[in-house]
Amino acid sequence: MSFVHHVRPRYAEVDAQGVVFNAHWLTYFDEASTRFFESLGFEPATAFFQEFDVMVVKAVVEWQGPAGFDDHVAIAVAPGRIGTKSFDLVYTATVAGRPACLGTITYVSVTPGTRESAVIPSSLRVALASVATT
Amino acid sequence: MSFVHHVRPRYAEVDAQGVVFNAHWLTYFDEASTRFFESLGFEPATAFFQEFDVMVVKAVVEWQGPAGFDDHVAIAVAPGRIGTKSFDLVYTATVAGRPACLGTITYVSVTPGTRESAVIPSSLRVALASVATT
Amino acid sequence: MSFVHHVRPRYAEVDAQGVVFNAHWLTYFDEASTRFFESLGFEPATAFFQEFDVMVVKAVVEWQGPAGFDDHVAIAVAPGRIGTKSFDLVYTATVAGRPACLGTITYVSVTPGTRESAVIPSSLRVALASVATT
Amino acid sequence: MSFVHHVRPRYAEVDAQGVVFNAHWLTYFDEASTRFFESLGFEPATAFFQEFDVMVVKAVVEWQGPAGFDDHVAIAVAPGRIGTKSFDLVYTATVAGRPACLGTITYVSVTPGTRESAVIPSSLRVALASVATT
């Protein structure tokens, strides 16, 4: 089963059109990634930055339907491509089962505390592979 | 000459890695679009919502280098593809001439006050075409 | 027992000093108020805007200690002063039992959809009084 | 003459009520403080963190009228109380001359890179006093 993170859009995140402003989806996906990595056994506030770190290099986001204030947003997270130094996470967000937003984000593994790309640590590679669906 | 919008990243927008958090780039691009449409003769706070309105349906963003607190970020905005009911704006952001972030955002023209797609009004189409570089 | 809302600060909300940027506390308090009103029987996305609405007119916030990325922040919410057309909510935020942030926010009751102040509806007044500790 | 910083509210900062969401005012005030300190001769991105640093410990904010998307917001910044280890900045925001938001923020001087309070450096004290109106 894929990992799912739940978000309730804040009043502050809904714009004058009554829907979640587009930029906040990247923040939701980032929050979802925190919980996703935690589900793989990586404690976000510690191991996350010591054992490995990542830098976002690309995001492809498609909006398929609106999400409004306090809606029940479900964000499924699953690994996509897993390369040598980078990998993709695929985010599939729905509101009450209805498609809302689809994101594919590419992360480059970096040496913690730097912007130097590094081979994905084997602990992370094994963990990602264990939940990869493809 | 392409339109250029200038942004100084706020302290609040820089994360613990010391760089602008990824989601804020979509907000910067949105702010740049406001000024871009204004440069085409559309007053953002009035005509913008009455004459036409748009809905973001896709964003492709690539990060090429960091932007830090109070850096001088220049964002060039130019039309990309111009279709019947949708068009792309291409955002090219640099910091001191160095590539920082590249975004292509697809907007669907909608009837103001609704989420119904609509043919791009001719006033907007003509304006976009007048500054298109391709 | 007072109502408590739990927040895990997002990576995007932590600044270059490694702590939650001050403005986000007002957003946390707003999110806490959503859940607090819900706990009183008001469905945020519907009754909230139809039965009553509020406008923030004053906030007094004191920071007592840091909150970092993914900390367990607990925000207790309780009514303070309850007037004829306005009332205060008092927010007491702690991290692992340690004081973090204290906020007193004054809300004016308004006719939904307007900025016109209005007598606090009795349903809201009764609900607030039922959980007031003073 | 007091220092004035200008802000155009972003579409992303306006909520479903059509006005700037309350938390963003603290971000506007922070941005105004960056330019205010710069006007006193402190380069925000360098000397700001090396010569002195500050921590916000208290904010009192009163909202007096709405600010909407792309309004011309003018924020006057002036020192208030100047103590030994802390000082206040007073922010007076108007929209087209109409009162919008009033903030008094208390900053504690800290040793850069720490949360240890420190006597306000004389360079900063002299600069603040030079523009104090009281």
Side-chain angles (χ1 to χ4, degrees):
Chain A
M1 302 301 273
S2 64
F3 175 83
V4 178
H5 177 63
H6 298 273
V7 172
R8 305 290 292 273
R10 297 167 174 168
Y11 190 74
E13 294 163 351
V14 170
D15 64 23
Q17 288 182 328
V19 299
V20 172
F21 181 75
N22 59 72
H24 297 305
W25 286 97
L26 287 181
T27 303
Y28 293 173
F29 292 163
D30 192 71
E31 182 179 78
S33 78
T34 297
R35 298 273 80 85
F36 170 71
F37 286 123
E38 183 183 55
S39 78
L40 296 182
F42 300 98
E43 173 61 31
T46 57
F48 190 39
F49 297 101
Q50 293 163 15
E51 196 163 352
F52 71 92
D53 201 359
V54 294
M55 205 165 63
V56 171
V57 292
K58 185 172 183 180
V60 178
V61 185
E62 291 174 84
W63 288 271
Q64 303 158 313
F69 169 57
D70 212 31
D71 274 353
H72 287 78
V73 178
I75 303 175
V77 187
R81 183 189 60 85
I82 303 176
T84 303
K85 292 186 164 183
S86 69
F87 59 95
D88 293 351
L89 293 182
V90 178
Y91 301 88
T92 308
T94 54
V95 173
R98 183 177 48 68
C101 190
L102 183 63
T104 300
I105 298 182
T106 304
Y107 301 86
V108 165
S109 169
V110 296
T111 304
T114 77
R115 296 180 62 82
E116 297 298 315
S117 67
V119 171
I120 300 171
S122 60
S123 58
L124 176 57
R125 177 179 302 280
V126 168
L128 289 172
S130 74
V131 293
T133 53
T134 51
Chain B
M1 304 300 276
S2 65
F3 175 82
V4 178
H5 176 63
H6 297 273
V7 172
R8 306 289 293 273
R10 298 167 174 169
Y11 190 72
E13 294 164 351
V14 170
D15 64 22
Q17 289 182 328
V19 299
V20 171
F21 182 74
N22 60 73
H24 297 304
W25 286 97
L26 286 181
T27 303
Y28 293 172
F29 292 163
D30 191 73
E31 182 179 78
S33 78
T34 297
R35 298 274 79 85
F36 170 71
F37 286 124
E38 184 184 54
S39 77
L40 296 182
F42 299 98
E43 173 61 31
T46 56
F48 188 39
F49 297 102
Q50 294 162 16
E51 194 161 354
F52 70 92
D53 200 359
V54 294
M55 204 165 63
V56 172
V57 292
K58 186 171 181 180
V60 178
V61 185
E62 290 174 85
W63 288 271
Q64 303 158 314
F69 169 56
D70 212 31
D71 274 351
H72 288 79
V73 178
I75 303 175
V77 187
R81 184 189 59 84
I82 303 176
T84 304
K85 291 186 165 184
S86 70
F87 60 95
D88 292 351
L89 292 182
V90 178
Y91 301 88
T92 307
T94 54
V95 174
R98 183 177 48 68
C101 190
L102 184 63
T104 300
I105 298 183
T106 303
Y107 301 85
V108 166
S109 169
V110 296
T111 304
T114 77
R115 295 180 63 82
E116 296 298 313
S117 67
V119 171
I120 300 171
S122 60
S123 59
L124 177 57
R125 177 179 302 280
V126 168
L128 288 172
S130 74
V131 294
T133 54
T134 51
Chain C
M1 303 302 274
S2 64
F3 176 82
V4 178
H5 176 64
H6 297 273
V7 172
R8 305 290 292 272
R10 297 167 174 168
Y11 190 73
E13 294 164 350
V14 170
D15 64 22
Q17 289 183 328
V19 300
V20 171
F21 182 74
N22 60 74
H24 297 304
W25 287 98
L26 287 180
T27 303
Y28 293 172
F29 292 163
D30 191 72
E31 182 179 78
S33 78
T34 297
R35 299 273 80 84
F36 170 71
F37 286 124
E38 183 184 55
S39 77
L40 296 182
F42 299 98
E43 174 61 29
T46 55
F48 189 39
F49 296 101
Q50 294 163 15
E51 195 161 353
F52 71 93
D53 200 359
V54 294
M55 204 165 64
V56 171
V57 291
K58 185 172 183 181
V60 178
V61 184
E62 290 174 86
W63 288 271
Q64 303 158 314
F69 169 57
D70 211 31
D71 274 352
H72 288 78
V73 178
I75 303 176
V77 186
R81 184 189 59 83
I82 303 176
T84 303
K85 291 186 164 184
S86 70
F87 60 94
D88 293 351
L89 292 183
V90 178
Y91 301 88
T92 307
T94 54
V95 174
R98 184 176 46 68
C101 190
L102 184 63
T104 300
I105 298 183
T106 304
Y107 301 86
V108 165
S109 170
V110 295
T111 305
T114 77
R115 296 181 62 82
E116 296 298 315
S117 66
V119 171
I120 300 171
S122 61
S123 58
L124 177 57
R125 176 180 301 281
V126 168
L128 288 172
S130 73
V131 293
T133 55
T134 51
Chain D
M1 302 301 274
S2 63
F3 175 84
V4 178
H5 176 63
H6 298 273
V7 172
R8 305 290 292 274
R10 298 168 174 168
Y11 189 73
E13 295 164 351
V14 170
D15 64 22
Q17 289 182 329
V19 299
V20 171
F21 181 75
N22 61 73
H24 297 305
W25 286 98
L26 287 181
T27 303
Y28 293 172
F29 292 163
D30 192 72
E31 183 179 77
S33 78
T34 296
R35 299 274 79 84
F36 170 71
F37 285 124
E38 184 184 54
S39 77
L40 296 182
F42 299 98
E43 173 60 31
T46 56
F48 189 38
F49 297 102
Q50 293 162 16
E51 195 162 352
F52 71 93
D53 201 359
V54 294
M55 204 165 64
V56 172
V57 292
K58 186 172 182 180
V60 178
V61 185
E62 291 173 84
W63 288 271
Q64 303 157 314
F69 169 58
D70 212 31
D71 274 352
H72 288 78
V73 178
I75 303 175
V77 187
R81 183 190 60 85
I82 303 176
T84 303
K85 291 185 165 184
S86 69
F87 60 95
D88 292 352
L89 292 183
V90 178
Y91 301 88
T92 307
T94 54
V95 174
R98 182 176 48 68
C101 189
L102 183 63
T104 300
I105 299 183
T106 303
Y107 300 85
V108 165
S109 169
V110 295
T111 304
T114 77
R115 296 181 62 83
E116 296 298 314
S117 66
V119 170
I120 299 171
S122 60
S123 58
L124 177 57
R125 176 179 302 280
V126 167
L128 289 172
S130 74
V131 293
T133 54
T134 52

